[in-house]
């Protein structure tokens, strides 16, 4: 059976500069095994499947798969799938505001003429990072201890632990070794820089550290930490993907006490997939 398919570039500064996600717009009737097989084949960080909602408050339901497992929530797949759903004729119950149902529950989204944004989910773990873990990360990532301004657990599901470095240049200079956890780095740009912060996100896979081009979940929890600690003020823009030759831009805003994470989305591949 042919099913509508999109490959969407998310958080970019133009086509092919952000983070791609594969979206199957009609996932109804597919088994978990069939979804996982396609996600393994696309070999993108995530492949998603749009389904009819089961929650009466949701506009649609989304299942999110990496090449090896299903995730309850992820940022750039949420935005890319929301954009694909809207572009394929999805009709929100409220103008420019809608709810996505996923493994993590309901995620609030809103759209404007040039961006889609999601409300940052609550963190499941926060607080200072243990000193011995900071020392380990500094050693493995080749970071001078003097460059570490602060550290914090910023885990909203993927297990993120974050280090705030003294500058964006310090972040870009990092050459990571392997550690069996997801690590986020953030450092400020000078006032005349391309963004407020440079962000890098790494996760372990097959004995190596993989760098994600642009990471919605990491930027969401980093924003919650940086804003609540007074190290940032909203709105601000974070840059990510620079070390990979990308030009990711993540737009952080606050509305009624909630942090919102937004970015552009562009359809780069459009067609159908046989499933």
């Amino acid at each position: 059976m042919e099913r509508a398919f999109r490959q969407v570039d998310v958080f970019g500064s133009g086509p092919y500069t952000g983070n791609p996600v594969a979206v199957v717009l009609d996932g109804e009737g597919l088994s978990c095994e069939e979804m996982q097989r396609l996600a393994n084949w696309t070999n993108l960080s995530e492949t998603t499947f749009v389904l009819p909602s089961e929650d009466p408050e949701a506009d649609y339901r989304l299942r999110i798969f990496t090449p090896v497992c299903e995730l309850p929530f992820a940022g750039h797949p949420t935005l890319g799938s929301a954009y694909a759903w809207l572009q394929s004729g999805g009709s929100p119950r409220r103008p420019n505001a809608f709810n996505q149902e996923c493994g993590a529950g309901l995620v609030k989204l809103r759209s404007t003429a040039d961006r889609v944004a999601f409300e940052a989910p609550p963190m499941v773990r926060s607080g200072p990072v243990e000193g011995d873990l900071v020392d380990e990360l500094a050693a493995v990532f080749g970071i001078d201890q003097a460059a570490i301004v602060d550290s914090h657990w910023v885990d909203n599901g993927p297990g993120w632990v974050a280090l705030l470095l003294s500058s964006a240049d310090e972040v870009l200079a990092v050459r990571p070794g392997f550690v069996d956890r997801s690590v986020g780095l953030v450092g400020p740009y000078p006032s005349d820089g391309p963004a407020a912060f440079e962000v890098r996100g790494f996760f372990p896979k097959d004995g190596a550290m993989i760098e994600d081009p642009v990471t919605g979940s990491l930027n969401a929890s980093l924003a919650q930490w940086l804003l609540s600690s007074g190290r940032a003020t909203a709105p601000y823009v974070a840059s990510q993907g620079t070390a990979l030759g990308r030009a990711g831009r993540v737009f952080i805003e606050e509305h009624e006490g909630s942090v919102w994470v937004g970015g552009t989305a562009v359809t780069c591949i459009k067609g159908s997939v046989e499933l």
Side-chain angles (χ1 to χ4, degrees):
M1 176 180 175
E2 288 192 353
R3 299 170 187 265
F5 175 87
R6 304 286 187 271
Q7 194 157 308
V8 181
D9 191 44
V10 185
F11 289 126
S13 300
Y16 315 110
T17 62
N19 200 359
V21 59
V23 184
V24 176
L25 286 159
D26 175 17
E28 196 166 13
L30 292 175
S31 68
C32 292
E33 291 76 14
E34 288 170 317
M35 294 181 185
Q36 186 65 75
R37 185 165 62 246
L38 179 66
N40 180 267
W41 179 79
T42 66
N43 202 33
L44 294 176
S45 57
E46 283 94 11
T47 298
T48 69
F49 300 83
V50 180
L51 298 155
S53 61
E54 296 177 348
D55 189 313
E57 296 299 316
D59 292 86
Y60 61 88
R61 182 162 61 100
L62 193 71
R63 296 185 69 178
I64 305 169
F65 288 81
T66 75
V68 297
C69 67
E70 184 172 6
L71 299 178
F73 170 79
H76 97 273
T78 289
L79 293 192
S81 302
Y83 175 82
W85 179 75
L86 290 169
Q87 292 297 303
S88 65
S91 180
R93 302 178 190 185
R94 296 164 294 159
N96 303 319
F98 48 105
N99 290 329
Q100 169 189 289
E101 179 185 356
C102 61
L106 288 182
V107 177
K108 293 181 180 179
L109 294 115
R110 55 189 176 84
S111 63
T112 63
D114 56 352
R115 287 183 214 146
V116 185
F118 67 85
E119 184 180 32
M123 284 191 271
V124 297
R125 184 178 184 181
S126 59
V129 182
E130 300 84 347
D132 57 347
L133 178 54
V134 174
D135 292 343
E136 179 188 1
L137 295 177
V140 170
F141 280 65
I143 301 170
D144 185 342
Q145 286 275 5
I148 300 176
V149 176
D150 202 356
S151 61
H152 211 74
W153 286 101
V154 291
D155 182 10
N156 53 12
W160 292 111
V161 57
L163 299 179
L164 172 64
L165 304 188
S166 58
S167 70
D169 286 343
E170 292 280 359
V171 170
L172 291 170
V174 166
R175 299 294 180 266
F178 180 78
V179 61
D180 192 20
R181 63 180 69 250
S182 299
V183 180
L185 305 176
V186 58
Y189 275 103
S191 58
D192 59 350
F197 296 94
E198 182 68 32
V199 172
R200 296 178 74 180
F202 302 91
F203 60 90
K205 181 183 178 184
D206 299 329
M209 292 305 283
I210 306 299
E211 182 166 2
D212 199 40
V214 199
T215 318
S217 64
L218 174 59
N219 275 281
S221 53
L222 282 176
Q224 289 167 310
W225 172 39
L226 296 172
L227 292 170
S228 65
S229 65
R231 298 187 183 278
T233 56
Y236 72 79
V237 179
S239 168
Q240 191 177 351
T242 305
L244 298 176
R246 308 288 178 92
R249 295 294 183 270
V250 181
F251 295 82
I252 301 296
E253 298 180 341
E254 279 190 298
H255 295 283
E256 298 179 349
S258 295
V259 174
W260 287 77
V261 181
T264 61
V266 179
T267 299
C268 294
I269 300 174
K270 179 179 181 180
S272 61
V273 61
E274 186 75 30
L275 283 169

